[in-house]
Amino acid sequence: MIYDIWLWANIDLPASRTELPGIIGKLRSVSDSSRITCVVISAEKPAVLPELAGADSVLWIQGSGSPAWCAAQLSALAEQKKPWALIFPNTLFDAQVAACTAAHLQTGLSADCTDLRVEDGLLVMHRFAFGGGVEADILCPDARPQLATIHAGAFGAGVPSAGVPVIEQVLPVEGVQDPVQVLERFTGAQQISLRHAKVIVAGGLGVGSKEGFSLLEKLAEHLGGELAASRAAVDAGFAPWTRQVGQTGCQVSPALYLAFGISGAIQHIAGMRGAKRVVAVNTDPRAPIFSYADLAICADWHLAAESLLEHL
């Protein structure tokens, strides 16, 4: 059986575009019988992009619009060609396209998945549930296509491929009106890219204050890295949500991850388990994060951070 898997490839959105190589690499490993097609809706014809390398083909619809308009176009194409599965990066825009597409096609959608595999002819969509306390395998046995969004950074950066997909233009569906009218655009603050940081200095609830995080930020600057936080620290107001690492935050894979005052809840581990080397500092010798650490330091986080700054 050939598994015809489509990947929604939003090449006009940088946050989505950087996810594509990792997802394509994962889809290649899901089954030897998988055929990967990237679906692109863009005003300009996609060039030979390295992010699309590894796919077998590209279906290009010329145009642009809101998530609802894109979903209408994507759904019409899926109804015609009937893919086995349809995968999306989990950016805000792409998740809206996925939800609208699922509604159009009257099929299920498993959101924010961290793994995919094929068993007994079904796509097994793995994700965390109930705030990260439960891991679940989601199946869609009756409806097609099977839809999933992928947690940011879940499959890493991907390995560049030399393959060049064939690009086929598909005419957009006529008469589909975009229900969203853009009245004005605002540019927000520059997005923090934790996913691509080589060094991350993270703080948890044990850091105790915003002032404590200022010390960790100084340490991150000396190491040429980025500051991060656990969800508990963000909820306490010690750091902004843009710095959150975990199941409900960003998933990272730095070369070095320094964790100060983080206990190691399963939700946080889900976000940093891709780190190549982990250094954890905690006063509790039974802290769960020590089980994941290459170097476990049972000490006061402030003294450890100050000592490291002095050496730097």
Side-chain angles (χ1 to χ4, degrees):
M1 175 180 177
I2 300 296
Y3 299 111
D4 192 8
I5 304 175
W6 284 12
L7 172 61
W8 166 254
N10 190 352
I11 61 173
D12 294 330
L13 182 64
S16 177
R17 186 166 163 174
T18 56
E19 297 292 323
L20 298 179
I23 298 176
I24 290 174
K26 179 63 181 181
L27 296 179
R28 276 284 172 222
S29 68
V30 161
S31 171
D32 294 334
S33 302
S34 60
R35 181 172 57 220
I36 302 169
T37 299
C38 290
V39 181
V40 175
I41 295 181
S42 179
E44 301 294 333
K45 182 177 181 180
V48 182
L49 300 173
E51 291 88 352
L52 300 180
D56 295 297
S57 60
V58 173
L59 296 176
W60 169 51
I61 300 175
Q62 187 173 24
S64 62
S66 71
W69 184 85
C70 291
Q73 297 293 335
L74 179 59
S75 301
L77 189 59
E79 287 176 336
Q80 176 188 348
K81 295 184 176 290
K82 303 190 182 306
W84 179 76
L86 184 49
I87 310 299
F88 301 77
N90 198 39
T91 69
L92 181 60
F93 187 98
D94 300 334
Q96 293 177 75
V97 177
C100 292
T101 301
H104 277 298
L105 299 176
Q106 297 186 346
T107 185
L109 169 63
S110 183
D112 212 28
C113 296
T114 58
D115 197 15
L116 300 172
R117 66 182 189 275
V118 174
E119 287 185 4
D120 300 325
L122 291 175
L123 183 66
V124 181
M125 298 165 279
H126 185 83
R127 70 183 302 272
F128 286 82
F130 297 103
V134 175
E135 294 186 55
D137 284 339
I138 310 298
L139 303 176
C140 184
D142 300 322
R144 292 292 180 273
Q146 302 159 94
L147 268 64
T149 63
I150 305 301
H151 187 81
F155 303 139
V159 179
S161 173
V164 178
V166 177
I167 300 176
E168 175 187 349
Q169 184 174 2
V170 180
L171 295 177
V173 178
E174 296 182 357
V176 176
Q177 299 296 320
D178 195 332
V180 177
Q181 181 183 3
V182 178
L183 301 180
E184 194 171 355
R185 296 185 183 273
F186 296 89
T187 301
Q190 185 177 4
Q191 187 174 9
I192 300 165
S193 184
L194 288 176
R195 292 200 301 274
H196 306 296
K198 299 300 182 184
V199 176
I200 290 178
V201 178
L205 191 62
V207 171
S209 65
K210 285 185 176 180
E211 291 73 23
F213 268 82
S214 295
L215 176 63
L216 295 184
E217 186 171 20
K218 185 185 297 183
L219 179 58
E221 290 174 358
H222 276 73
L223 292 169
E226 291 284 352
L227 176 69
S230 68
R231 177 174 179 174
V234 170
D235 289 345
F238 301 159
W241 67 268
T242 52
R243 299 284 181 177
Q244 184 175 319
V245 168
Q247 177 59 30
T248 54
C250 186
Q251 192 159 352
V252 298
S253 52
L256 176 63
Y257 191 88
L258 291 93
F260 292 88
I262 296 176
S263 62
I266 187 172
Q267 296 95 324
H268 188 77
I269 298 301
M272 47 75 65
R273 62 184 175 184
K276 306 301 184 294
R277 181 153 301 196
V278 177
V279 176
V281 182
N282 202 294
T283 54
D284 183 2
R286 296 171 297 178
I289 198 167
F290 282 165
S291 300
Y292 300 89
D294 298 283
L295 176 60
I297 303 173
C298 190
D300 179 85
W301 78 267
H302 191 275
L303 294 176
E306 286 281 11
S307 177
L308 183 53
L309 271 172
E310 289 176 10
H311 282 81
L312 290 172

